[in-house]
Amino acid sequence: MSSDNNNDSQMCIPGMGENKPRPRVLGTSFFGYVPDAFSNDGPDFPSAKATVSSASPLVNLSGPSPLPVPIATETLPDDINPDSTKFEANSRGTTEEAFNESAQNRLIIKNGKVVNSDSVEDVDIYVEDGIIRQVGNNLIIPGGARVIDARGRYVFPGGVDTHTHFQLPFMGTCSIDDFYSGTKAAIAGGTTTIMDFVIPQKGQSLIEAYNEWRNWADENACCDYNFHVAVTWWSEQVKEEMAELVRNHGVNSFKIFMAYKDVFQLNDKEIYEVFEWCKELGAIAQVHAENGDIIKENCQKLLAAGITGPEGHALSRPEDVEAEAVNRACVLANQVNCPIFIDNLTSKAATDIVATLRKQGHQIFSGPLSAALGITGLSQWDRDWKAAAALVCSPPLRVDPDTPDFFIERLAVNDLQTTGTDHCTFSSAQKALGKDDFTKIPNGVNGVEERLMLLWDRGVVTEKLTPSRFVAVTSTNAAKIFNLYPKKGVISVGSDADIVIWNPNKSKVISAQTHHSKCDFNIFEGMECHGAPEYVILGGRVVVDEEEMKVVQGYGQFVPTDPFPAYVYDTIKVREEDRKPKGVNRDGTSSGLGDVLPPQLKATVPANNGEASVPAITPEPKEQVSPTPQSPVPNGADYSTPTRSYHASHFTRAPTVSGGRNMQDTTFSLSSDYPSPADLEASGRRTAIKVRGPPGGQSTGLW
């Protein structure tokens, strides 16, 4: 296929129907079209049937040539004003009407173990008109409902994947899974809501790009969806369009890139201003955290040294490059009290930074790349180029074999809150665009279908995660962070009937032969997972029925997200008040540090409030002084006035009210006029006392 901009030929877009013309391609820029990118007859490349080494998890990399998908479209005509249309949640429309012919409107799920993020209950669920109407036992159900017996099964909310890239124009090609095949794969794995990304070209209108992505998704998505919007350049126009997207288009999150220099990357000043504006809009700021400047320099050095293979990608992005960017993003966001969501961590060092700052009160949400829960990045050094290139993603998968378990453990204790897939698939032929230069290998891996199975197998089966924590990580936390809750992420009366019935006893071997992605390989090839979805229900409709797929193209709804999610911004408001700066009153009426220190400094201030350290002096009660020792006050005397007797260097206090002697008094003195034993006897005090019956009895031993 030619990349000529004047080529007006119409091509069919997969999943969009025979009468949907393909938009014209915009050229050969970073987003542009590369000839033969979708054909196995493209760049010179080893046979697609090459044998995969035993060290690689990949097999069967051959497959049918994928059909073309849209790369980038022309701008909207001048007579169309994208601001004139307010996008609300689309109805399921005529597609639903056709679907209803064979689908029942009422459904009851009985005998299952219903799991939410905070509970596990043996209750039944009644669904009508796509909404959960009743949850409990002994439900009164109208007739005509389909009954699913979930005995021995877990029943939990459909998954929410916060990070996918379907039909993404990227690095001279386009991700091979469009909104039909990608969302079909999501449903097959138990995910019923995906959050994809609108990524404008530098200089492109955010509204225009949003409309393009909506057009691609609205007619094709099988499951529900929402969009984050990337800020790839910064200006007053971008600022105004962000506000427009929040007000009228159901968007409440914006992504910035600290990597992909000269393409997507913003500088620190721009990032600071984006964070500040997100805070004003009540939005979540998302971050791709890698130091793009260092990566660019590393890439140049590696290529100059003759390292051109996929291992160069990992070498150019070491862990500290990710960790530095994570820390910098957190620092910038904290200056303006903006909540941030850090996409898809892959390193221990970056995770430790997030965990530490969260404990200090920073509003940071994050999670590992789901691929990092199942595999490491060691295969990037495989001698089979295809096997190595298959794992290229950003940030890269790490080689430390303990990393998958490390992430599971951090998810268990809420240092990390979610896991997203960054599902962005490219065929073997597309990956081959970087055969001689690792910087040209399209970045991305699969995972949208495998995410829940991986986490269940690695977390719940091993008893590192409870079923409730599994639900929190796969749906509830994401729904709360992005204001989809309680519509999504919970089985509760009034929530959407997005439900997974999970068979914990079923085993499934992952393979490109059986997955629903268009990609001709799977990075988890041959991995066996214990636990898999048996039924998946979307909007009250059974779309996976005893593992049989019954999805309908275009049935998915766009789900708008409102700004200021309470789960996030309630804490932000409290921090805002606590951190509000106050001036110091220096009018001379008080001293010390005062009471205006910000909370983060109060813990470091000594108890004396910063004043000079002077020993505390407790004033003694008023006392009587006599030149000679006083005898003890006899019983019945007046004890209302404390007294102190004085004789040279010897002090004795008067008896207590009960007649006891102060045991701290001493009879020792170097003074020559110390009272004699006779004086002491006369005063009732003795120099020694013989104890006739000491505690423990008398000793008869010789010592």
Side-chain angles (χ1 to χ4, degrees), residues 494-513:
S495 298
D496 283 1
D498 298 345
I499 301 170
V500 176
I501 300 176
W502 189 267
N503 186 345
N505 301 315
K506 180 175 178 56
S507 295
K508 186 171 183 178
V509 177
I510 299 172
S511 173
Q513 295 288 336

Side-chain angles (χ1 to χ4, degrees), residues 461-485:
V461 172
T462 61
E463 299 184 349
K464 295 176 181 176
L465 298 179
T466 64
S468 285
R469 185 60 189 169
F470 169 86
V471 169
V473 169
T474 56
S475 66
T476 307
N477 289 347
K480 288 180 177 180
I481 292 167
F482 293 103
N483 224 3
L484 294 167
Y485 187 90

Side-chain angles (χ1 to χ4, degrees), residues 231-235 242 254-259 264-279 285-293 324-336 338-340:
V231 177
T232 57
W233 60 296
W234 187 236
S235 70
M242 288 172 67
F254 296 92
K255 180 171 183 176
I256 63 97
F257 291 89
M258 303 176 81
F264 298 146
Q265 182 177 334
L266 300 183
N267 62 44
D268 283 359
K269 181 177 183 297
E270 292 169 331
I271 293 171
Y272 180 93
E273 292 176 358
V274 172
F275 286 169
E276 192 171 38
W277 187 231
C278 282
K279 162 73 181 321
Q286 291 189 267
V287 183
H288 178 113
E290 292 181 289
N291 189 314
D293 295 283
E324 183 279 330
V326 166
N327 186 71
R328 181 158 42 99
C330 293
V331 169
L332 291 170
N334 193 52
Q335 303 313 300
V336 294
C338 175
I340 61 172

Side-chain angles (χ1 to χ4, degrees), residues 47-108:
S47 169
K49 298 179 185 269
T51 303
V52 179
S53 72
S54 60
S56 169
L58 306 173
V59 296
N60 188 37
L61 297 183
S62 62
S65 299
L67 294 174
V69 291
I71 306 302
T73 58
E74 296 175 316
T75 59
L76 294 174
D78 293 336
D79 59 342
I80 296 180
N81 178 12
D83 293 341
S84 64
T85 303
K86 293 185 179 181
F87 286 93
E88 303 296 338
N90 58 297
S91 67
R92 304 200 191 266
T94 56
T95 303
E96 181 180 15
E97 293 170 5
F99 197 20
N100 283 342
E101 294 179 4
S102 59
Q104 297 190 40
N105 195 37
R106 296 170 179 169
L107 177 68
I108 182 168

